[in-house]
């Protein structure tokens, strides 16, 4: 299945191959069980090696030592994620977050001064946003940056213990400089969260005066990354330390910004987080692929139990085993193509000549949603792969332990998943709402219902779905082939639109009772998360189905089609309670879905080895002895 | 809610309190991040301290240094599981597996000679059953114990590399002696798996001649336990080394056994695993309780986001947060009471004057099923608690990292969960089948259907459920209060019986096609696992509902009742796809269930702190700084 492998490699094939060849070298060999301090130094050494190969600044403008290819930067991150995940996080902190903040929030003076040194790792840095008391709630951070007109500089300060910067990668040991997010104050007036470049250590590595640094200590995973806490005691930096693309303070103390609306300005600055979310989504897919490659290959080697007197049976020949692994393989393919599209969308937005409000908001929504979906998927998939490898999967040497422990925090960082899904739901509602200037929720939901109806009518000539839509009639629609792609797409669309319309209607009802909009939204948080998940599923299915249709060659088309069906049906299966409640599935049809998932797994069973081989992870990088012995 | 705490403490209140007081002492303070070798020594030291307190041999007969109270032995294990999980596993290997095998499979000569030294930890030992190539499939292990008539002893031998004993706790460092499971051979004839006491290290701790030991190295968790691999090269032991309760070899080389049927003999010997499964189920409940205590207390302290300008909101006041944590609290209560019953059943069987075939098989089935259910529940709950504590939950110092990593292998050891659920399903089918001597599956399923009908008719005066049973009629039954306990019980019974009957029918169909029974069962493995899970759920609900009804005092009764409803309804919610498919729920009723779960969470929200306080875990043992600060 070379064609499948080629398809997965996508546009940046040469870059991927170059990185994988590099990571296969002996000097990148994993050493599980290394003491923490040695591990941290090894990861720094690996990072330097990657920087020497020019992989650090791929996304930065060419004039500042980069290649001006934002997509390449993320593909590099995604590919490195097949290897040690502390490495990829350290890499991301330095080149993505620290460097990315300078590139995106700074102006030429910062680019010239810092980016080449960031890209070469001559200047190791931190991205100091999160505070102990304010995790995902960046708007309410409490670190201040007060403009002092006398010295014409800023004073960066941490008011209280819980306002210290926390969990900052690269802070405990290696970082020399930090991009610090703080509430900007000029002449007693607050202008919201801004970022400044603040040196935190001197050339000998000691904390600078007024800077107190603490080590976060051992973590569940990612112990090759030196996370730390930073506290500032009236630390002075020059006026030019402010990353001033979206807000500046003149020498006379005048604040100015190209974005007058403070809320819009805040969200624009936070837009720099999008790159991080795209990257984490991509890395999660890589980690899921590593885990599945290990578990499927083990399942194709290991025998256990069997008929009396007969040979023991291969694990992957057990239906229970196929049922666990193969839907996860299919979903991982869906996520892979989804991430590929997200990277392309992101790169397009980065290089667009001007900012397009709605497109940007949609990109941010998709990034938030796919980050959450892909990291939840990774957590679940790696857990399942560990169990599918039994005790062998629990041994450090077989990689799954590290994959599990390291990726586990992905659901939290770069924005907690639940928070991100709520963000996406809000954004989706806004998209619909803007079409109704009076923001009338009832109208919105009627409009949505209308859209559902018309799209169903288009899809089904006789409008047979209409009945099904409003009334659960057992037996109706049973004749439909449960494996028809249009039915899957309709099901996904129906669910997304129904959930969104319902959400809008419910919030409207609460608002009408005089409840504030924050609480109104909160009351239906679960509904909102469900709507957001349904939206991401739909995006993934639309994309996967497109990829499958456009594929060249019958065999490839066929394999992708089967995978796509399995993805769609296993999602419908999982949510079949909802689909039945809302009249999309009758009980009989629902049972057919369950049966079809089992059949698709059996169909894909002979291809299982090829399906994970196509992920293209070299043995030296996968580095799990159970895939070959034990 | 002292009454709730008292209820959870159950029969062995004094023992629990004594252990928790001991574990709260300074010398038991946790030290996350300890290097592996130091950690292993610390755990051994802790184990010795527990042995000195007489906690090692609680379950052994009084005449050999124990207290003859099998339930106390498991309650001790369960209570220690609030503390470090490497400690509890090391404790279990020594006193439960190693000592338990000697107690259950040996006879007086072994008891006299070994049990006092096992209980005092003067003789650290191993339970050497698992082999690299044969994890859960004990029947096919390949280590041999050949009787040599000349020397009147056995020769223990590992034929090939994959037949070595693997993952053996206590083997890498501390074990002096091992109970080794091997295929017994006398005069060329095989008598199946038997256990022998084999010294593996000399007094100075060096491996004895012919014994090769290897360290399993780093694991995802439980790194305080020294797991190792053991290979035997024609190691000789005397004839009396055979644990000969169920099979013996006379000096003249005559094999004899009180159980003539080899298969029955094998399962009787494996019965010793039941204690391990009961213990692991109990420890999983403790670990879930620790995680929930941490996450709920954090949720009651930590504020995040909020209405514009207003105070930030407590995490636990978010519906999404309640929806994640509170159903898990309810299910953990259900598991707690289920485990309590299992321990009592186990203790009764241990002290019963004679072996009662069916009762024993039912106990084994319940132990297998509850072990699987409780360990899956722990994995899921601890993961969710980690996420609910965000980045703080990822720091080693806050305990969730260790809870997660350490318990994660519980789903695999003492029998892989899927394998155990299949075992339970087989046993349940057998229970029904024995009532039909001709083993006619069609009759069996008709009988089951009859049982379902009559039980439903009894429960509902007008037989209204009959319609619902065979035909999904939307709207019917809508009038029923979704929170009526009898409806929950009916739903759980209906599901269990329907799944079992269907499983029987399907297997029968495949058998009729001439397929062998192993494959016939395998083909419906998923269905079998679902049936087994449904059975465990039913056992849990019946027990929980009993406990709630019998509770004294209105407030206690009320709280338990609400928890029991939340457990039942959140399970029905999770499986509402199935319930709708099979006509138990209409779409409208299903939505009511979803709504009711949210309402129950809100109802329990004000009691959340009390509910986790009732688990009775002292702060010094919980040892998570985020429950009080940070």
């Amino acid at each position: 299945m070379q064609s499948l492998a080629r398809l997965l490699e996508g546009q940046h094939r040469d870059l991927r191959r170059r990185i994988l060849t590099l990571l296969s070298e002996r000097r990148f060999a994993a050493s599980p069980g290394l003491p923490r301090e040695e591990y941290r130094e090894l990861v720094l050494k690996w990072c330097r090696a990657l920087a020497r190969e020019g992989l650090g600044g791929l996304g930065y403008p060419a004039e500042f030592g980069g290649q001006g290819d934002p997509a390449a930067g993320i593909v590099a991150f995604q590919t490195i994620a097949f290897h040690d995940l502390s490495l990829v996080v350290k890499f991301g902190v330095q080149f993505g977050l620290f460097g990315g903040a300078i590139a995106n929030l700074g102006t030429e003076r910062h680019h010239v001064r810092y980016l080449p040194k960031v890209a070469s790792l001559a200047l190791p840095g931190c991205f100091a946003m999160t505070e102990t008391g304010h995790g995902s709630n960046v708007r309410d951070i409490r670190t201040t940056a007060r403009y002092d007109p006398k010295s014409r500089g800023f004073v960066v300060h941490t008011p209280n213990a819980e306002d210290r910067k926390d969990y900052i990668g690269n802070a405990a040991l290696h970082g020399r400089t930090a991009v610090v997010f703080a509430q900007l104050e000029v002449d007693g007036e607050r202008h919201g969260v801004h970022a400044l470049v603040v040196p935190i250590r001197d050339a000998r590595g000691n904390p600078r005066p007024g800077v107190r640094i603490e080590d976060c200590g051992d973590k569940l995973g990612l112990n090759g990354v030196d996370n730390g806490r930073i506290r500032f005691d009236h630390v002075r930096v020059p006026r030019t330390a402010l990353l001033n693309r979206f807000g500046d303070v003149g020498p006379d103390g005048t604040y100015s910004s190209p974005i007058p609306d403070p809320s819009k300005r805040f969200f624009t600055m936070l837009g720099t987080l999008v790159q991080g979310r795209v990257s984490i989504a991509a890395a999660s897919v890589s980690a899921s692929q590593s885990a599945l490659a290990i578990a499927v290959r083990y399942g194709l080697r290991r025998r256990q139990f069997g008929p009396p007197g007969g040979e023991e049976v291969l694990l992957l020949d057990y239906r229970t085993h196929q049922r666990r692994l193969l839907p996860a393989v299919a979903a991982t393919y869906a996520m892979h193509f989804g991430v590929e599209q997200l990277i392309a969308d992101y790169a397009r937005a980065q290089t667009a000549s001007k900012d397009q409000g709605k497109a940007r908001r949609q990109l941010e929504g998709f990034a938030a949603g796919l980050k959450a979906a892909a990291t939840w998927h990774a957590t679940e998939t790696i857990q399942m792969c560990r169990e599918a490898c039994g005790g062998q999967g629990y041994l450090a040497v077989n990689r799954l332990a590290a994959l599990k422990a390291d990726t586990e925090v992905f659901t939290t960082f770069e924005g907690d998943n639940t928070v991100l899904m709520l963000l996406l739901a809000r954004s989706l509602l806004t998209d619909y709402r803007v079409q109704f200037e009076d923001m009338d929720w009832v109208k919105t939901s009627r409009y949505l219902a209308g859209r559902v109806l018309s799209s169903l009518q288009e899809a089904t000539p006789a409008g047979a779905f209409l009945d099904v839509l409003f009334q659960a009639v057992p037996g109706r629609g049973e004749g439909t082939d449960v494996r028809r792609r249009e039915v899957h797409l309709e099901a996904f669309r129906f669910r997304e639109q129904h959930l969104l319309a319902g959400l809008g209607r419910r919030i409207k009802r609460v608002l009408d009772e005089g409840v504030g909009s924050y609480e109104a939204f909160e009351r239906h948080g679960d509904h909102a998360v469900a709507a957001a998940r349904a939206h991401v599923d739909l995006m993934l299915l639309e994309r996967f189905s497109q990829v499958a249709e456009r594929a060249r060659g019958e065999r490839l088309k066929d394999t992708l089609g089967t995978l796509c069906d399995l993805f769609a049906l296993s999602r419908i299966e999982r949510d079949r309670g909802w689909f039945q409640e809302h009249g999309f599935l009758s009980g009989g049809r629902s049972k057919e879905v369950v049966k079809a998932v089992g059949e698709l797994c059996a169909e894909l069973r002979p291809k299982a080895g090829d399906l994970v081989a196509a992920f293209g992870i070299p043995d030296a990088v996968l580095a799990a002895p159970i895939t070959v012995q034990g």
Side-chain angles (χ1 to χ4, degrees), chain A:
Chain A
M1 295 291 269
Q2 265 201 325
S3 55
L4 190 56
R6 288 285 284 272
L7 183 72
L8 290 182
E9 286 180 319
Q11 301 257 320
H12 289 80
R13 194 197 330 165
D14 294 338
L15 177 64
R16 280 181 204 271
R17 292 189 180 181
R18 184 158 74 85
I19 293 172
L20 288 173
T21 305
L22 181 67
L23 294 175
S24 300
E25 288 178 18
R26 221 183 161 66
R27 59 181 162 144
F28 279 96
S31 356
L34 221 50
R36 192 179 75 196
E37 299 315 314
E38 290 174 43
Y39 186 19
R40 288 172 166 187
E41 294 308 321
L42 178 64
V43 167
L44 179 66
K45 207 180 82 182
W46 282 342
C47 247
R48 288 200 193 285
L50 297 175
R52 269 196 304 276
E53 296 288 331
L55 296 168
L58 294 171
Y60 305 158
E63 59 267 46
F64 309 116
Q67 293 195 8
D69 184 351
I74 296 176
V75 167
F77 188 87
Q78 181 178 24
T79 310
I80 296 166
F82 285 131
H83 190 257
D84 185 286
L85 291 160
S86 284
L87 171 59
V88 85
V89 169
K90 185 99 170 173
F91 182 92
V93 165
Q94 171 70 16
F95 306 114
L97 292 175
F98 174 55
I102 293 171
N104 291 314
L105 301 180
T107 50
E108 201 180 347
R109 66 180 180 220
H110 305 108
H111 299 163
V112 174
R113 180 167 173 194
Y114 296 114
L115 285 185
K117 284 197 277 183
V118 175
S120 68
L121 230 165
L123 182 70
C126 308
F127 181 81
M129 178 182 268
T130 301
E131 295 177 359
T132 307
H134 317 89
S136 298
N137 186 7
V138 180
R139 196 199 281 260
D140 288 334
I141 58 169
R142 300 226 185 117
T143 302
T144 51
R146 238 178 232 127
Y147 187 64
D148 173 31
K150 268 187 223 152
S151 63
R152 297 200 169 173
F154 293 98
V155 182
V156 177
H157 186 63
T158 308
N160 297 297
E162 75 265 28
D163 309 327
R164 66 187 177 189
K165 296 296 175 184
D166 203 342
Y167 241 108
I168 309 304
N170 240 348
L173 281 179
H174 303 131
R176 293 290 161 99
T177 285
V179 167
V180 177
F181 289 80
Q183 303 286 355
L184 190 73
E185 270 188 46
V186 185
D187 202 17
E189 198 186 340
R190 291 225 158 182
H191 295 281
V193 176
H194 287 66
L196 303 94
V197 180
V198 183
I200 56 167
R201 282 194 176 83
D202 62 25
R204 288 159 59 201
N206 297 315
R208 294 177 65 97
V211 177
R212 252 173 38 212
I213 304 178
E214 211 180 294
D215 197 319
C216 286
D218 275 330
K219 306 183 294 287
L220 173 56
L222 297 179
N223 282 307
V225 182
D226 54 316
N227 292 86
R229 305 185 181 107
I230 314 175
R231 215 173 146 164
F232 300 98
D233 182 8
H234 298 95
V235 172
R236 289 181 175 273
V237 291
R239 190 180 60 88
T240 51
L242 182 67
L243 295 173
N244 59 341
R245 181 169 164 203
F246 299 115
D248 201 2
V249 177
D252 60 343
T254 318
Y255 178 80
S256 63
S257 167
I259 309 171
D261 179 51
S263 178
K264 208 175 154 198
R265 193 191 310 140
F266 172 72
F267 283 110
T268 306
M269 295 213 201
L270 238 62
T272 55
L273 288 176
V274 170
Q275 185 192 333
R277 289 173 189 161
V278 177
S279 302
I280 291 300
S284 299
V285 173
S286 301
S288 301
Q289 290 173 334
S290 296
L292 286 167
I294 294 168
V296 168
R297 286 174 64 178
Y298 185 61
L300 290 170
R301 284 189 46 255
R302 165 79 172 197
R303 293 176 182 276
Q304 182 86 301
F305 293 105
E311 195 187 12
E312 286 189 293
V313 175
L314 275 179
L315 290 187
L316 207 61
D317 284 330
Y318 285 100
R319 265 111 179 142
T320 43
H321 214 71
Q322 292 169 14
R323 262 281 194 167
R324 289 161 99 181
L325 287 169
L326 295 173
V329 169
T332 302
Y333 268 83
M335 302 266 173
H336 182 99
F337 297 125
V339 158
E340 188 182 41
Q341 181 182 9
L342 178 61
I343 295 173
D345 290 354
Y346 167 74
R348 203 175 306 116
Q350 283 296 98
T351 50
S353 55
K354 65 181 221 106
D355 193 55
Q356 285 146 328
K358 191 181 164 193
R360 172 157 284 277
R361 204 184 56 252
Q362 284 177 341
L363 169 69
E364 286 173 9
F366 188 30
L370 195 49
K371 183 270 180 184
T375 55
W376 271 326
H377 174 69
T379 298
E380 192 185 323
T381 299
I382 298 168
Q383 171 70 32
M384 181 270 296
C385 289
R386 203 297 292 158
E387 290 185 35
C389 294
Q392 295 288 346
Y394 198 65
L395 294 178
V397 72
N398 287 322
R399 282 289 309 283
L400 290 167
L403 282 168
K404 240 187 84 59
D406 291 343
T407 56
E408 211 267 317
V409 76
F410 287 12
T411 54
T412 297
F413 70 17
E414 305 293 321
D416 171 82
N417 279 1
T418 301
V419 175
L420 291 180
M421 282 302 199
L422 294 175
L423 191 84
L424 172 58
R426 266 176 191 281
S427 158
L428 292 172
L429 280 181
T430 307
D431 278 347
Y432 291 118
R433 209 167 45 174
V434 286
Q435 306 189 36
F436 297 84
E437 284 172 7
D438 58 355
M439 293 160 82
D440 180 331
W441 287 111
V442 172
K443 275 196 200 157
T444 310
S445 65
R446 274 203 206 115
Y447 160 76
L448 284 178
R451 270 192 58 176
V452 175
L453 288 185
S454 65
S455 73
L456 286 174
Q457 273 167 325
E458 279 162 32
T460 54
F465 272 108
L466 289 185
D467 294 359
V468 184
L469 227 185
F470 291 112
Q471 202 180 6
V473 183
R476 181 76 67 119
E478 306 278 287
T480 322
D481 179 5
V482 79
R483 281 173 66 174
R484 262 173 56 205
R485 181 72 40 78
E486 315 90 83
V487 175
H488 306 164
L489 283 163
E490 266 325 304
F492 279 48
R493 278 187 203 121
F494 171 74
R495 183 177 53 168
E496 186 231 30
Q497 307 227 345
H498 195 291
L499 283 166
L500 270 176
L503 179 63
R505 215 165 41 232
R506 280 160 201 232
I507 290 179
K508 159 82 169 104
R509 209 178 297 145
V510 182
L511 288 173
D512 286 350
E513 292 166 15
V515 173
S517 80
Y518 185 84
E519 201 194 322
F521 198 80
E522 194 283 306
R523 278 206 200 162
H524 298 289
D526 275 310
H527 195 128
V529 170
R533 292 190 92 140
H535 176 76
V536 176
D537 271 356
L538 173 60
M539 302 283 283
L540 288 173
L541 182 62
E542 283 179 341
R543 165 73 175 160
F544 198 169
S545 143
Q546 227 174 43
V547 170
E549 265 164 40
R550 287 185 195 157
R552 286 193 209 143
E554 274 318 298
R555 242 183 100 215
L556 180 60
K557 219 184 179 75
D558 183 57
T559 302
L560 287 168
T562 313
L563 278 169
C564 186
D565 287 348
L566 179 54
F567 166 64
L569 284 170
S570 55
R571 289 293 162 125
I572 295 175
E573 180 191 32
R574 184 181 286 197
D575 212 8
R576 66 197 205 274
W578 190 91
F579 281 112
Q580 288 179 82
E581 278 167 4
H582 295 85
F584 197 92
L585 283 181
S586 66
R589 188 92 155 280
S590 178
K591 286 186 200 169
E592 275 178 42
V593 169
V594 177
K595 201 170 152 221
V597 170
E599 287 165 358
L600 285 165
C601 288
E603 262 175 56
L604 285 170
R605 158 68 187 86
K607 292 179 181 171
D610 287 340
L611 292 178
V612 298
F615 296 151
I617 315 166
D619 279 0
V621 176
L622 196 59
I626 41 163
T627 58
V628 288
Q629 56 165 40

